[in-house]
Amino acid sequence: MVRYDLRHLHEDFYDRMLELLDKNVKSGEVAIFLFEVVVNGKSNFEAVQKSADVIKEAGYELLNSLKFNEVDWTIVVRKK
C-alpha cells in the first residue's frame, strides 16, 4: 500500500493521480490519495465525484472514498 498527498495541487490533481497509478503503483497494489475538497473556503464535493469517475474511466478499482477531515478527502484505489 502506498499513500500520495495531492493536496498541494488543489483541484488540479487528476492528471497527477493517474500518472502515479500508471507509473508508480504495481498491478494489484492499493494506493491512497489525499486531496482537498475546499476551494476558496467553500466545500467543493464535485472533486469527489470527478475523482471516482476518473478512476473508473481509467480502469482502476475504487475501494473507498471518505472524508479525512474538514478540508481533505481520501480515496483508496486498486490497480488491476
Side-chain angles (χ1 to χ4, degrees):
M1 184 178 310
V2 292
R3 180 180 174 269
Y4 298 100
D5 187 345
L6 304 178
R7 292 177 290 183
H8 64 283
L9 299 172
H10 305 287
E11 61 268 10
D12 297 322
F13 67 92
Y14 307 103
D15 290 339
R16 179 66 175 142
M17 179 176 62
L18 290 177
E19 178 185 357
L20 290 166
L21 281 163
D22 289 343
K23 296 180 180 178
N24 292 31
V25 179
K26 298 173 186 166
S27 182
E29 188 173 30
V30 173
I32 299 171
F33 295 97
L34 182 63
F35 60 91
E36 289 184 339
V37 292
V38 173
V39 178
N40 298 323
K42 295 182 181 180
S43 294
N44 178 10
F45 293 102
E46 291 175 16
V48 175
Q49 183 60 55
K50 185 174 178 181
S51 66
D53 294 343
V54 166
I55 292 297
K56 183 179 180 180
E57 289 170 11
Y60 300 112
E61 181 181 5
L62 180 65
L63 300 177
N64 203 347
S65 175
L66 55 97
K67 189 174 183 180
F68 183 70
N69 58 35
E70 293 302 315
V71 296
D72 303 318
W73 201 272
T74 60
I75 59 171
V76 181
V77 179
R78 179 180 298 140
K79 183 173 182 176
K80 295 180 181 182

